Amino acid sequence: MTNQQIAVRESVAAIENIRELEDRFAIAVRQRELLASYIRERMTPGKHFYQVGESKNSLTKEGAELICLPHGYKPAYVVEGGPDQPADDDVPYQITVRCTLMKGNTFEGEGMGSASSHITRRDGQRVPRQPDVGLRHNATLKMAQKSAYIAATLNATAASEFFTQDLEDMATPLSDAKPHTPPD
């Protein structure tokens, strides 16, 4: 093969790469338009997301499920850290979970989430999430799974333009949260 033939092949490959990139950008723009429209038309403020103060909307688990539904994403969870069994005492502990979103056998995205067995009240006092240690462990695990699922949803769908996560778990109770519709 001559140098000229090699140069022509490289030029053709570069042009094909640019066209492929243009196609991917066009798809990304359309996906963003569809997601924004879907959020506006299908998601209910106060149920699927909340706004706490002046912050970005906070996605709920129900909202994450609604976003994952048209994508066909199914969650799989792995506990990455924390006790396997409830503690015998009231010493606080943390559970960390990884959520992997799959579409069939294809990996689509993942996120990490963590929850404490104790919550901090407005006055700064740390109190058990649940008085019963077994229920506390289960509630802590579920909170970590929820956080991981929301993180995975935001990562896999690029919904982080519209939402953040975990603001509903801040010291501000949800009754103080104001529904807010996402921008176009």
Side-chain angles (χ1 to χ4, degrees), residues 3 5 8 21 36 50 58 60 65 73 78 93 104-106 108 112 127 131 141 152-153 158 160 168-169 173 184:
N3 287 341
Q5 289 172 323
V8 167
L21 186 60
Y50 293 90
S58 179
T60 65
E65 290 169 341
Y73 297 164
V78 174
Y93 59 88
N105 292 328
T106 304
E108 296 294 341
M112 297 290 286
V127 296
L141 177 61
T153 300
S160 59
E168 70 216 54
D169 298 328
D184 291 335

Side-chain angles (χ1 to χ4, degrees), residues 18-167:
I18 290 171
R19 287 184 184 145
E20 184 179 320
L21 186 60
E22 288 172 339
D23 288 346
R24 285 194 303 247
F25 273 110
I27 290 169
V29 167
R30 184 63 183 133
Q31 285 174 324
R32 190 256 178 229
E33 291 169 351
L34 287 170
L35 180 59
S37 174
Y38 186 73
I39 290 168
R40 258 190 331 276
E41 295 170 10
R42 302 280 184 240
M43 296 183 75
T44 305
K47 179 178 182 181
H48 299 114
F49 59 90
Y50 293 90
Q51 184 179 37
V52 179
E54 297 299 317
S55 62
K56 189 188 285 190
N57 291 329
S58 179
L59 188 62
T60 65
K61 183 174 182 286
E62 284 182 278
E65 290 169 341
L66 205 58
I67 289 173
C68 285
L69 182 66
H71 290 91
Y73 297 164
K74 302 292 180 200
Y77 301 98
V78 174
V79 176
E80 296 286 338
D84 293 333
Q85 298 297 319
D88 292 333
D89 53 25
D90 274 345
V91 174
Y93 59 88
Q94 197 83 5
I95 296 178
T96 302
V97 172
R98 176 185 310 274
C99 175
T100 302
L101 293 178
M102 304 293 290
K103 186 174 186 178
N105 292 328
T106 304
F107 169 86
E108 296 294 341
E110 66 183 4
M112 297 290 286
S114 186
S116 174
S117 62
H118 288 60
I119 56 175
T120 304
R121 295 189 331 196
R122 286 182 188 222
D123 63 8
Q125 182 181 5
R126 291 187 53 80
V127 296
R129 187 175 288 281
Q130 290 279 340
D132 178 277
V133 294
L135 293 176
R136 180 183 318 146
H137 189 75
N138 187 50
T140 304
L141 177 61
K142 288 183 183 290
M143 287 299 293
Q145 288 175 328
K146 178 184 103 168
S147 180
Y149 182 65
I150 292 169
T153 300
L154 295 174
N155 291 339
T157 65
S160 59
E161 175 184 349
F162 305 102
F163 302 108
T164 188
Q165 72 177 82
D166 294 336
L167 288 180

